[in-house]
Amino acid sequence: MHLLRLPEVKERTGLSRSVIYEYIQKGRFPKPVNITPRSVAWVDEEVDAWIRERVEERGERGMA
């Protein structure tokens, strides 16, 4: 298991900071893990799973 800091999450997803946090509030993106009182990170497997889900959705929409 590896933890990703925000710049890595932004790079992997192509999302901005504000969109990431908006999606988290709406339950559409994995929640971060508190690593210190003022620092968070994301579990890489959870971010990768989120990306895979987007790719799978693309395939499902293309079949309609």
Side-chain angles (χ1 to χ4, degrees):
M1 184 181 315
H2 182 73
L3 295 176
L4 305 172
R5 299 300 303 272
L6 183 60
E8 293 173 282
V9 174
K10 288 170 50 178
E11 183 176 323
R12 283 194 188 196
T13 63
L15 300 175
S16 68
R17 178 190 184 282
S18 60
V19 170
I20 290 168
Y21 280 100
E22 176 185 332
Y23 281 8
I24 290 167
Q25 286 184 328
K26 293 180 178 180
R28 296 177 53 197
F29 195 79
K31 292 182 179 180
V33 175
N34 292 325
I35 54 178
T36 70
R38 296 182 56 155
S39 181
V40 298
W42 285 260
V43 177
D44 65 343
E45 290 97 347
E46 293 176 359
V47 173
D48 289 344
W50 182 88
I51 293 168
R52 278 191 301 279
E53 289 170 8
R54 305 290 75 74
V55 172
E56 289 170 5
E57 287 174 0
R58 176 192 65 183
E60 291 170 6
R61 284 193 306 261
M63 298 176 90

Tab-separated table of all heavy atoms in Angstrom:
chain	number	residue	atom	x	y	z
A	1	MET	N	0.848	-1.174	0.000
A	1	MET	CA	0.000	0.000	0.000
A	1	MET	C	0.892	1.235	0.000
A	1	MET	O	1.899	1.286	0.687
A	1	MET	CB	-0.900	-0.009	1.238
A	1	MET	CG	-1.874	1.129	1.264
A	1	MET	SD	-2.945	1.188	2.722
A	1	MET	CE	-3.456	-0.478	2.875
A	2	HIS	N	0.486	2.199	-0.782
A	2	HIS	CA	1.262	3.429	-0.912
A	2	HIS	C	0.299	4.610	-0.757
A	2	HIS	O	-0.819	4.556	-1.252
A	2	HIS	CB	1.942	3.468	-2.279
A	2	HIS	CG	2.789	4.659	-2.511
A	2	HIS	ND1	4.002	4.851	-1.907
A	2	HIS	CD2	2.588	5.746	-3.291
A	2	HIS	CE1	4.520	5.993	-2.310
A	2	HIS	NE2	3.679	6.555	-3.145
A	3	LEU	N	0.753	5.647	-0.100
A	3	LEU	CA	-0.059	6.847	0.059
A	3	LEU	C	0.375	7.911	-0.946
A	3	LEU	O	1.569	8.083	-1.194
A	3	LEU	CB	0.053	7.397	1.481
A	3	LEU	CG	-0.508	6.507	2.576
A	3	LEU	CD1	-0.250	7.124	3.946
A	3	LEU	CD2	-1.997	6.281	2.380
A	4	LEU	N	-0.608	8.587	-1.511
A	4	LEU	CA	-0.358	9.641	-2.487
A	4	LEU	C	-0.703	10.992	-1.889
A	4	LEU	O	-1.771	11.159	-1.302
A	4	LEU	CB	-1.228	9.428	-3.730
A	4	LEU	CG	-1.145	8.084	-4.433
A	4	LEU	CD1	-2.209	7.997	-5.517
A	4	LEU	CD2	0.236	7.897	-5.027
A	5	ARG	N	0.172	11.945	-2.072
A	5	ARG	CA	-0.126	13.305	-1.666
A	5	ARG	C	-0.916	13.989	-2.784
A	5	ARG	O	-1.006	13.485	-3.912
A	5	ARG	CB	1.173	14.060	-1.367
A	5	ARG	CG	1.994	13.437	-0.217
A	5	ARG	CD	1.247	13.381	1.113
A	5	ARG	NE	0.787	14.663	1.549
A	5	ARG	CZ	1.493	15.525	2.297
A	5	ARG	NH1	2.682	15.201	2.714
A	5	ARG	NH2	0.992	16.688	2.621
A	6	LEU	N	-1.490	15.133	-2.498
A	6	LEU	CA	-2.376	15.819	-3.435
A	6	LEU	C	-1.756	16.036	-4.820
A	6	LEU	O	-2.428	15.782	-5.820
A	6	LEU	CB	-2.873	17.140	-2.836
A	6	LEU	CG	-3.865	17.906	-3.694
A	6	LEU	CD1	-5.122	17.076	-3.966
A	6	LEU	CD2	-4.232	19.218	-3.015
A	7	PRO	N	-0.512	16.493	-4.933
A	7	PRO	CA	0.038	16.684	-6.285
A	7	PRO	C	0.034	15.393	-7.117
A	7	PRO	O	-0.235	15.429	-8.319
A	7	PRO	CB	1.469	17.169	-6.037
A	7	PRO	CG	1.408	17.823	-4.692
A	7	PRO	CD	0.416	17.001	-3.911
A	8	GLU	N	0.295	14.253	-6.473
A	8	GLU	CA	0.271	12.979	-7.194
A	8	GLU	C	-1.151	12.609	-7.607
A	8	GLU	O	-1.363	12.089	-8.704
A	8	GLU	CB	0.848	11.869	-6.323
A	8	GLU	CG	2.326	12.008	-6.031
A	8	GLU	CD	2.786	10.966	-5.033
A	8	GLU	OE1	2.537	11.152	-3.826
A	8	GLU	OE2	3.389	9.964	-5.472
A	9	VAL	N	-2.122	12.865	-6.728
A	9	VAL	CA	-3.521	12.571	-7.043
A	9	VAL	C	-3.974	13.438	-8.216
A	9	VAL	O	-4.617	12.954	-9.151
A	9	VAL	CB	-4.427	12.778	-5.811
A	9	VAL	CG1	-5.895	12.604	-6.175
A	9	VAL	CG2	-4.036	11.816	-4.694
A	10	LYS	N	-3.616	14.709	-8.180
A	10	LYS	CA	-3.970	15.613	-9.275
A	10	LYS	C	-3.358	15.131	-10.589
A	10	LYS	O	-4.017	15.136	-11.627
A	10	LYS	CB	-3.502	17.033	-8.956
A	10	LYS	CG	-4.311	17.708	-7.871
A	10	LYS	CD	-3.711	19.003	-7.380
A	10	LYS	CE	-3.335	19.953	-8.476
A	10	LYS	NZ	-2.791	21.220	-7.962
A	11	GLU	N	-2.109	14.689	-10.547
A	11	GLU	CA	-1.430	14.230	-11.752
A	11	GLU	C	-2.071	12.954	-12.296
A	11	GLU	O	-2.302	12.829	-13.497
A	11	GLU	CB	0.047	13.973	-11.453
A	11	GLU	CG	0.844	13.569	-12.668
A	11	GLU	CD	2.321	13.405	-12.359
A	11	GLU	OE1	2.860	14.178	-11.555
A	11	GLU	OE2	2.910	12.475	-12.934
A	12	ARG	N	-2.389	12.010	-11.406
A	12	ARG	CA	-2.980	10.740	-11.854
A	12	ARG	C	-4.379	10.919	-12.426
A	12	ARG	O	-4.753	10.224	-13.362
A	12	ARG	CB	-3.058	9.747	-10.696
A	12	ARG	CG	-1.757	9.103	-10.365
A	12	ARG	CD	-1.979	7.919	-9.464
A	12	ARG	NE	-0.711	7.394	-8.989
A	12	ARG	CZ	-0.570	6.202	-8.447
A	12	ARG	NH1	-1.605	5.408	-8.312
A	12	ARG	NH2	0.602	5.803	-8.040
A	13	THR	N	-5.157	11.818	-11.825
A	13	THR	CA	-6.563	11.945	-12.218
A	13	THR	C	-6.812	13.037	-13.247
A	13	THR	O	-7.822	13.004	-13.944
A	13	THR	CB	-7.443	12.248	-11.002
A	13	THR	OG1	-7.054	13.511	-10.448
A	13	THR	CG2	-7.345	11.156	-9.955
A	14	GLY	N	-5.938	14.029	-13.292
A	14	GLY	CA	-6.170	15.179	-14.162
A	14	GLY	C	-7.170	16.160	-13.576
A	14	GLY	O	-7.594	17.096	-14.253
A	15	LEU	N	-7.537	15.955	-12.309
A	15	LEU	CA	-8.501	16.832	-11.642
A	15	LEU	C	-7.774	17.925	-10.864
A	15	LEU	O	-6.654	17.730	-10.401
A	15	LEU	CB	-9.365	16.030	-10.663
A	15	LEU	CG	-10.199	14.892	-11.250
A	15	LEU	CD1	-10.887	14.133	-10.123
A	15	LEU	CD2	-11.207	15.425	-12.238
A	16	SER	N	-8.448	19.047	-10.696
A	16	SER	CA	-7.900	20.127	-9.868
A	16	SER	C	-8.193	19.839	-8.400
A	16	SER	O	-9.041	19.005	-8.059
A	16	SER	CB	-8.531	21.458	-10.261
A	16	SER	OG	-9.903	21.473	-9.898
A	17	ARG	N	-7.518	20.552	-7.526
A	17	ARG	CA	-7.729	20.410	-6.082
A	17	ARG	C	-9.197	20.643	-5.737
A	17	ARG	O	-9.799	19.875	-4.988
A	17	ARG	CB	-6.841	21.404	-5.335
A	17	ARG	CG	-7.021	21.372	-3.841
A	17	ARG	CD	-6.298	22.555	-3.176
A	17	ARG	NE	-6.388	22.490	-1.745
A	17	ARG	CZ	-7.447	22.822	-1.033
A	17	ARG	NH1	-8.548	23.238	-1.638
A	17	ARG	NH2	-7.445	22.734	0.282
A	18	SER	N	-9.770	21.700	-6.281
A	18	SER	CA	-11.149	22.040	-5.925
A	18	SER	C	-12.130	20.962	-6.379
A	18	SER	O	-13.075	20.635	-5.657
A	18	SER	CB	-11.540	23.405	-6.494
A	18	SER	OG	-11.443	23.409	-7.901
A	19	VAL	N	-11.909	20.378	-7.542
A	19	VAL	CA	-12.802	19.319	-8.027
A	19	VAL	C	-12.637	18.066	-7.173
A	19	VAL	O	-13.628	17.413	-6.824
A	19	VAL	CB	-12.550	19.021	-9.513
A	19	VAL	CG1	-13.300	17.772	-9.964
A	19	VAL	CG2	-12.950	20.213	-10.362
A	20	ILE	N	-11.420	17.723	-6.815
A	20	ILE	CA	-11.189	16.558	-5.951
A	20	ILE	C	-11.980	16.702	-4.663
A	20	ILE	O	-12.718	15.797	-4.261
A	20	ILE	CB	-9.684	16.367	-5.660
A	20	ILE	CG1	-8.963	15.913	-6.932
A	20	ILE	CG2	-9.470	15.367	-4.521
A	20	ILE	CD1	-7.454	15.957	-6.854
A	21	TYR	N	-11.872	17.856	-3.996
A	21	TYR	CA	-12.567	18.043	-2.729
A	21	TYR	C	-14.084	18.153	-2.914
A	21	TYR	O	-14.848	17.697	-2.062
A	21	TYR	CB	-11.993	19.241	-1.969
A	21	TYR	CG	-10.713	18.860	-1.257
A	21	TYR	CD1	-9.474	19.182	-1.789
A	21	TYR	CD2	-10.748	18.150	-0.076
A	21	TYR	CE1	-8.299	18.809	-1.153
A	21	TYR	CE2	-9.587	17.772	0.574
A	21	TYR	CZ	-8.373	18.104	0.036
A	21	TYR	OH	-7.220	17.715	0.676
A	22	GLU	N	-14.523	18.688	-4.030
A	22	GLU	CA	-15.963	18.725	-4.328
A	22	GLU	C	-16.489	17.297	-4.485
A	22	GLU	O	-17.539	16.943	-3.939
A	22	GLU	CB	-16.208	19.510	-5.612
A	22	GLU	CG	-17.659	19.534	-6.053
A	22	GLU	CD	-17.838	20.223	-7.393
A	22	GLU	OE1	-17.032	21.100	-7.746
A	22	GLU	OE2	-18.805	19.864	-8.086
A	23	TYR	N	-15.773	16.468	-5.235
A	23	TYR	CA	-16.177	15.075	-5.434
A	23	TYR	C	-16.178	14.310	-4.106
A	23	TYR	O	-17.040	13.465	-3.881
A	23	TYR	CB	-15.260	14.392	-6.437
A	23	TYR	CG	-15.538	14.706	-7.887
A	23	TYR	CD1	-16.450	15.680	-8.276
A	23	TYR	CD2	-14.866	14.027	-8.894
A	23	TYR	CE1	-16.682	15.953	-9.612
A	23	TYR	CE2	-15.104	14.289	-10.236
A	23	TYR	CZ	-16.010	15.257	-10.579
A	23	TYR	OH	-16.240	15.520	-11.904
A	24	ILE	N	-15.207	14.585	-3.245
A	24	ILE	CA	-15.164	13.929	-1.933
A	24	ILE	C	-16.426	14.279	-1.151
A	24	ILE	O	-17.077	13.392	-0.580
A	24	ILE	CB	-13.900	14.337	-1.145
A	24	ILE	CG1	-12.656	13.726	-1.795
A	24	ILE	CG2	-14.004	13.893	0.317
A	24	ILE	CD1	-11.352	14.308	-1.283
A	25	GLN	N	-16.794	15.556	-1.135
A	25	GLN	CA	-17.996	15.987	-0.409
A	25	GLN	C	-19.248	15.316	-0.947
A	25	GLN	O	-20.172	15.021	-0.196
A	25	GLN	CB	-18.154	17.492	-0.474
A	25	GLN	CG	-17.200	18.248	0.399
A	25	GLN	CD	-17.465	19.743	0.358
A	25	GLN	OE1	-17.899	20.288	-0.651
A	25	GLN	NE2	-17.203	20.395	1.473
A	26	LYS	N	-19.283	15.058	-2.250
A	26	LYS	CA	-20.445	14.435	-2.877
A	26	LYS	C	-20.382	12.910	-2.844
A	26	LYS	O	-21.270	12.245	-3.378
A	26	LYS	CB	-20.565	14.909	-4.329
A	26	LYS	CG	-20.895	16.381	-4.443
A	26	LYS	CD	-20.993	16.803	-5.892
A	26	LYS	CE	-21.364	18.271	-5.998
A	26	LYS	NZ	-21.475	18.702	-7.398
A	27	GLY	N	-19.319	12.357	-2.257
A	27	GLY	CA	-19.168	10.907	-2.192
A	27	GLY	C	-18.765	10.280	-3.508
A	27	GLY	O	-18.977	9.090	-3.720
A	28	ARG	N	-18.164	11.060	-4.389
A	28	ARG	CA	-17.797	10.585	-5.724
A	28	ARG	C	-16.304	10.347	-5.890
A	28	ARG	O	-15.838	10.053	-6.995
A	28	ARG	CB	-18.268	11.592	-6.773
A	28	ARG	CG	-19.780	11.725	-6.824
A	28	ARG	CD	-20.239	12.768	-7.799
A	28	ARG	NE	-19.658	12.553	-9.123
A	28	ARG	CZ	-19.640	13.492	-10.073
A	28	ARG	NH1	-20.179	14.680	-9.850
A	28	ARG	NH2	-19.100	13.233	-11.244
A	29	PHE	N	-15.529	10.499	-4.813
A	29	PHE	CA	-14.084	10.297	-4.872
A	29	PHE	C	-13.640	9.770	-3.512
A	29	PHE	O	-14.228	10.111	-2.489
A	29	PHE	CB	-13.371	11.621	-5.189
A	29	PHE	CG	-11.947	11.453	-5.620
A	29	PHE	CD1	-11.636	11.075	-6.909
A	29	PHE	CD2	-10.913	11.667	-4.726
A	29	PHE	CE1	-10.313	10.912	-7.313
A	29	PHE	CE2	-9.591	11.510	-5.113
A	29	PHE	CZ	-9.292	11.133	-6.415
A	30	PRO	N	-12.593	8.933	-3.473
A	30	PRO	CA	-12.132	8.380	-2.194
A	30	PRO	C	-11.742	9.465	-1.198
A	30	PRO	O	-11.147	10.482	-1.571
A	30	PRO	CB	-10.905	7.553	-2.578
A	30	PRO	CG	-11.023	7.302	-4.037
A	30	PRO	CD	-11.796	8.450	-4.608
A	31	LYS	N	-12.075	9.219	0.050
A	31	LYS	CA	-11.691	10.153	1.109
A	31	LYS	C	-10.212	9.996	1.431
A	31	LYS	O	-9.674	8.884	1.376
A	31	LYS	CB	-12.508	9.890	2.373
A	31	LYS	CG	-13.959	10.231	2.228
A	31	LYS	CD	-14.685	9.992	3.525
A	31	LYS	CE	-16.148	10.369	3.369
A	31	LYS	NZ	-16.887	10.162	4.613
A	32	PRO	N	-9.558	11.097	1.792
A	32	PRO	CA	-8.144	10.999	2.170
A	32	PRO	C	-7.990	10.430	3.577
A	32	PRO	O	-8.937	10.389	4.361
A	32	PRO	CB	-7.667	12.447	2.109
A	32	PRO	CG	-8.885	13.252	2.381
A	32	PRO	CD	-10.034	12.477	1.804
A	33	VAL	N	-6.771	10.013	3.864
A	33	VAL	CA	-6.393	9.507	5.181
A	33	VAL	C	-5.605	10.609	5.879
A	33	VAL	O	-4.714	11.216	5.268
A	33	VAL	CB	-5.491	8.257	5.019
A	33	VAL	CG1	-4.971	7.775	6.361
A	33	VAL	CG2	-6.231	7.161	4.279
A	34	ASN	N	-5.930	10.889	7.139
A	34	ASN	CA	-5.145	11.857	7.908
A	34	ASN	C	-3.815	11.216	8.284
A	34	ASN	O	-3.792	10.165	8.919
A	34	ASN	CB	-5.880	12.278	9.175
A	34	ASN	CG	-7.103	13.096	8.881
A	34	ASN	OD1	-7.116	13.881	7.946
A	34	ASN	ND2	-8.142	12.909	9.655
A	35	ILE	N	-2.711	11.852	7.880
A	35	ILE	CA	-1.406	11.314	8.242
A	35	ILE	C	-0.740	12.149	9.335
A	35	ILE	O	0.133	11.651	10.021
A	35	ILE	CB	-0.488	11.137	7.014
A	35	ILE	CG1	-0.341	12.413	6.218
A	35	ILE	CG2	-1.028	10.029	6.136
A	35	ILE	CD1	0.597	12.293	5.032
A	36	THR	N	-1.150	13.378	9.469
A	36	THR	CA	-0.804	14.237	10.606
A	36	THR	C	-2.013	15.139	10.817
A	36	THR	O	-2.925	15.155	9.980
A	36	THR	CB	0.453	15.107	10.339
A	36	THR	OG1	0.139	16.110	9.365
A	36	THR	CG2	1.639	14.272	9.893
A	37	PRO	N	-2.039	15.922	11.885
A	37	PRO	CA	-3.194	16.803	12.084
A	37	PRO	C	-3.438	17.782	10.928
A	37	PRO	O	-4.562	18.218	10.707
A	37	PRO	CB	-2.851	17.558	13.364
A	37	PRO	CG	-1.968	16.621	14.114
A	37	PRO	CD	-1.144	15.934	13.043
A	38	ARG	N	-2.394	18.096	10.157
A	38	ARG	CA	-2.549	19.064	9.063
A	38	ARG	C	-2.179	18.508	7.699
A	38	ARG	O	-1.944	19.262	6.765
A	38	ARG	CB	-1.693	20.287	9.366
A	38	ARG	CG	-2.152	21.027	10.601
A	38	ARG	CD	-1.317	22.228	10.840
A	38	ARG	NE	-1.330	23.080	9.649
A	38	ARG	CZ	-1.122	24.372	9.648
A	38	ARG	NH1	-0.864	24.980	10.780
A	38	ARG	NH2	-1.138	25.060	8.529
A	39	SER	N	-2.124	17.189	7.585
A	39	SER	CA	-1.675	16.588	6.337
A	39	SER	C	-2.515	15.354	6.012
A	39	SER	O	-2.799	14.549	6.889
A	39	SER	CB	-0.203	16.192	6.481
A	39	SER	OG	0.275	15.626	5.310
A	40	VAL	N	-2.891	15.250	4.742
A	40	VAL	CA	-3.672	14.096	4.298
A	40	VAL	C	-3.012	13.463	3.079
A	40	VAL	O	-2.186	14.083	2.402
A	40	VAL	CB	-5.135	14.475	3.945
A	40	VAL	CG1	-5.854	15.026	5.158
A	40	VAL	CG2	-5.193	15.435	2.769
A	41	ALA	N	-3.406	12.231	2.811
A	41	ALA	CA	-2.941	11.515	1.630
A	41	ALA	C	-4.031	10.524	1.238
A	41	ALA	O	-4.932	10.231	2.016
A	41	ALA	CB	-1.628	10.793	1.918
A	42	TRP	N	-3.925	10.023	0.009
A	42	TRP	CA	-4.899	9.068	-0.508
A	42	TRP	C	-4.229	7.725	-0.704
A	42	TRP	O	-3.058	7.651	-1.082
A	42	TRP	CB	-5.459	9.549	-1.840
A	42	TRP	CG	-6.446	10.659	-1.706
A	42	TRP	CD1	-7.806	10.547	-1.752
A	42	TRP	CD2	-6.178	12.043	-1.505
A	42	TRP	NE1	-8.387	11.787	-1.583
A	42	TRP	CE2	-7.410	12.728	-1.431
A	42	TRP	CE3	-5.006	12.793	-1.365
A	42	TRP	CZ2	-7.512	14.093	-1.236
A	42	TRP	CZ3	-5.101	14.166	-1.162
A	42	TRP	CH2	-6.342	14.799	-1.105
A	43	VAL	N	-4.988	6.648	-0.492
A	43	VAL	CA	-4.485	5.302	-0.731
A	43	VAL	C	-4.439	5.090	-2.245
A	43	VAL	O	-5.449	5.279	-2.935
A	43	VAL	CB	-5.395	4.254	-0.056
A	43	VAL	CG1	-4.910	2.843	-0.359
A	43	VAL	CG2	-5.462	4.501	1.447
A	44	ASP	N	-3.274	4.730	-2.758
A	44	ASP	CA	-3.114	4.622	-4.211
A	44	ASP	C	-4.086	3.638	-4.844
A	44	ASP	O	-4.624	3.902	-5.925
A	44	ASP	CB	-1.667	4.310	-4.597
A	44	ASP	CG	-1.164	2.955	-4.118
A	44	ASP	OD1	-1.783	2.353	-3.210
A	44	ASP	OD2	-0.132	2.506	-4.639
A	45	GLU	N	-4.349	2.508	-4.182
A	45	GLU	CA	-5.279	1.528	-4.738
A	45	GLU	C	-6.683	2.109	-4.894
A	45	GLU	O	-7.394	1.775	-5.840
A	45	GLU	CB	-5.343	0.257	-3.874
A	45	GLU	CG	-4.079	-0.581	-3.931
A	45	GLU	CD	-3.155	-0.301	-2.752
A	45	GLU	OE1	-3.373	0.700	-2.028
A	45	GLU	OE2	-2.210	-1.078	-2.566
A	46	GLU	N	-7.089	2.964	-3.960
A	46	GLU	CA	-8.419	3.568	-4.029
A	46	GLU	C	-8.506	4.568	-5.181
A	46	GLU	O	-9.512	4.623	-5.888
A	46	GLU	CB	-8.773	4.243	-2.708
A	46	GLU	CG	-8.951	3.256	-1.567
A	46	GLU	CD	-9.217	3.925	-0.238
A	46	GLU	OE1	-9.256	5.181	-0.157
A	46	GLU	OE2	-9.392	3.187	0.754
A	47	VAL	N	-7.453	5.330	-5.385
A	47	VAL	CA	-7.430	6.283	-6.500
A	47	VAL	C	-7.400	5.521	-7.822
A	47	VAL	O	-8.135	5.857	-8.754
A	47	VAL	CB	-6.228	7.251	-6.383
A	47	VAL	CG1	-6.100	8.125	-7.619
A	47	VAL	CG2	-6.357	8.108	-5.128
A	48	ASP	N	-6.589	4.476	-7.890
A	48	ASP	CA	-6.527	3.671	-9.115
A	48	ASP	C	-7.875	3.011	-9.411
A	48	ASP	O	-8.291	2.936	-10.566
A	48	ASP	CB	-5.430	2.608	-9.012
A	48	ASP	CG	-4.029	3.207	-9.060
A	48	ASP	OD1	-3.888	4.382	-9.466
A	48	ASP	OD2	-3.077	2.504	-8.680
A	49	ALA	N	-8.569	2.547	-8.374
A	49	ALA	CA	-9.895	1.939	-8.566
A	49	ALA	C	-10.877	2.977	-9.096
A	49	ALA	O	-11.702	2.676	-9.968
A	49	ALA	CB	-10.395	1.343	-7.252
A	50	TRP	N	-10.795	4.200	-8.592
A	50	TRP	CA	-11.666	5.277	-9.063
A	50	TRP	C	-11.415	5.537	-10.555
A	50	TRP	O	-12.355	5.680	-11.332
A	50	TRP	CB	-11.432	6.547	-8.245
A	50	TRP	CG	-12.306	7.679	-8.639
A	50	TRP	CD1	-13.550	7.959	-8.157
A	50	TRP	CD2	-12.015	8.707	-9.599
A	50	TRP	NE1	-14.054	9.080	-8.765
A	50	TRP	CE2	-13.128	9.565	-9.660
A	50	TRP	CE3	-10.926	8.979	-10.416
A	50	TRP	CZ2	-13.175	10.667	-10.499
A	50	TRP	CZ3	-10.980	10.077	-11.251
A	50	TRP	CH2	-12.089	10.906	-11.283
A	51	ILE	N	-10.145	5.555	-10.949
A	51	ILE	CA	-9.800	5.764	-12.356
A	51	ILE	C	-10.347	4.613	-13.205
A	51	ILE	O	-10.953	4.853	-14.258
A	51	ILE	CB	-8.266	5.901	-12.528
A	51	ILE	CG1	-7.780	7.192	-11.855
A	51	ILE	CG2	-7.878	5.880	-14.005
A	51	ILE	CD1	-6.273	7.287	-11.705
A	52	ARG	N	-10.163	3.370	-12.747
A	52	ARG	CA	-10.679	2.213	-13.496
A	52	ARG	C	-12.195	2.299	-13.667
A	52	ARG	O	-12.721	1.983	-14.735
A	52	ARG	CB	-10.315	0.906	-12.785
A	52	ARG	CG	-8.919	0.422	-13.081
A	52	ARG	CD	-8.676	-0.992	-12.595
A	52	ARG	NE	-8.870	-1.153	-11.159
A	52	ARG	CZ	-7.974	-0.846	-10.224
A	52	ARG	NH1	-6.800	-0.357	-10.582
A	52	ARG	NH2	-8.228	-1.037	-8.957
A	53	GLU	N	-12.902	2.739	-12.624
A	53	GLU	CA	-14.360	2.883	-12.718
A	53	GLU	C	-14.741	3.890	-13.796
A	53	GLU	O	-15.712	3.682	-14.526
A	53	GLU	CB	-14.932	3.313	-11.369
A	53	GLU	CG	-14.888	2.222	-10.320
A	53	GLU	CD	-15.237	2.743	-8.931
A	53	GLU	OE1	-15.656	3.919	-8.795
A	53	GLU	OE2	-15.090	1.966	-7.971
A	54	ARG	N	-13.990	4.987	-13.903
A	54	ARG	CA	-14.282	5.977	-14.941
A	54	ARG	C	-14.090	5.356	-16.320
A	54	ARG	O	-14.877	5.586	-17.234
A	54	ARG	CB	-13.374	7.216	-14.815
A	54	ARG	CG	-13.371	7.919	-13.473
A	54	ARG	CD	-14.650	8.658	-13.100
A	54	ARG	NE	-15.759	7.855	-12.688
A	54	ARG	CZ	-15.892	7.220	-11.498
A	54	ARG	NH1	-14.965	7.268	-10.599
A	54	ARG	NH2	-16.963	6.519	-11.224
A	55	VAL	N	-13.036	4.562	-16.492
A	55	VAL	CA	-12.764	3.923	-17.776
A	55	VAL	C	-13.872	2.920	-18.099
A	55	VAL	O	-14.355	2.866	-19.235
A	55	VAL	CB	-11.375	3.238	-17.770
A	55	VAL	CG1	-11.165	2.409	-19.024
A	55	VAL	CG2	-10.273	4.285	-17.615
A	56	GLU	N	-14.295	2.144	-17.106
A	56	GLU	CA	-15.377	1.172	-17.325
A	56	GLU	C	-16.684	1.876	-17.687
A	56	GLU	O	-17.417	1.396	-18.548
A	56	GLU	CB	-15.554	0.307	-16.085
A	56	GLU	CG	-14.408	-0.658	-15.876
A	56	GLU	CD	-14.452	-1.359	-14.531
A	56	GLU	OE1	-15.430	-1.174	-13.773
A	56	GLU	OE2	-13.493	-2.092	-14.230
A	57	GLU	N	-16.972	3.005	-17.043
A	57	GLU	CA	-18.182	3.772	-17.367
A	57	GLU	C	-18.140	4.235	-18.819
A	57	GLU	O	-19.150	4.231	-19.504
A	57	GLU	CB	-18.324	4.976	-16.449
A	57	GLU	CG	-18.741	4.630	-15.041
A	57	GLU	CD	-18.740	5.838	-14.119
A	57	GLU	OE1	-18.420	6.968	-14.579
A	57	GLU	OE2	-19.051	5.664	-12.933
A	58	ARG	N	-16.964	4.622	-19.268
A	58	ARG	CA	-16.817	5.058	-20.644
A	58	ARG	C	-17.197	3.939	-21.592
A	58	ARG	O	-17.920	4.138	-22.566
A	58	ARG	CB	-15.373	5.512	-20.900
A	58	ARG	CG	-15.119	5.888	-22.351
A	58	ARG	CD	-13.674	6.052	-22.643
A	58	ARG	NE	-13.007	4.759	-22.494
A	58	ARG	CZ	-11.725	4.571	-22.632
A	58	ARG	NH1	-10.936	5.581	-22.892
A	58	ARG	NH2	-11.198	3.376	-22.491
A	59	GLY	N	-16.739	2.730	-21.293
A	59	GLY	CA	-17.052	1.579	-22.120
A	59	GLY	C	-18.533	1.267	-22.116
A	59	GLY	O	-19.111	0.934	-23.151
A	60	GLU	N	-19.190	1.390	-20.966
A	60	GLU	CA	-20.621	1.120	-20.865
A	60	GLU	C	-21.426	2.146	-21.642
A	60	GLU	O	-22.391	1.812	-22.304
A	60	GLU	CB	-21.053	1.110	-19.402
A	60	GLU	CG	-20.497	-0.067	-18.631
A	60	GLU	CD	-20.719	0.050	-17.124
A	60	GLU	OE1	-21.410	0.999	-16.689
A	60	GLU	OE2	-20.215	-0.798	-16.395
A	61	ARG	N	-21.026	3.396	-21.576
A	61	ARG	CA	-21.752	4.443	-22.308
A	61	ARG	C	-21.586	4.263	-23.816
A	61	ARG	O	-22.496	4.533	-24.579
A	61	ARG	CB	-21.256	5.833	-21.896
A	61	ARG	CG	-21.758	6.279	-20.555
A	61	ARG	CD	-21.500	7.764	-20.366
A	61	ARG	NE	-20.110	8.119	-20.580
A	61	ARG	CZ	-19.215	8.307	-19.621
A	61	ARG	NH1	-19.566	8.181	-18.368
A	61	ARG	NH2	-17.984	8.645	-19.906
A	62	GLY	N	-20.419	3.772	-24.225
A	62	GLY	CA	-20.160	3.581	-25.641
A	62	GLY	C	-20.968	2.439	-26.238
A	62	GLY	O	-21.169	2.384	-27.432
A	63	MET	N	-21.453	1.541	-25.378
A	63	MET	CA	-22.211	0.398	-25.866
A	63	MET	C	-23.699	0.706	-26.018
A	63	MET	O	-24.430	-0.061	-26.615
A	63	MET	CB	-22.031	-0.783	-24.908
A	63	MET	CG	-20.598	-1.254	-24.811
A	63	MET	SD	-20.418	-2.554	-23.591
A	63	MET	CE	-20.705	-3.975	-24.631
A	64	ALA	N	-24.149	1.807	-25.483
A	64	ALA	CA	-25.589	2.129	-25.524
A	64	ALA	C	-26.017	2.589	-26.887
A	64	ALA	O	-25.324	2.988	-27.728
A	64	ALA	CB	-25.889	3.196	-24.483
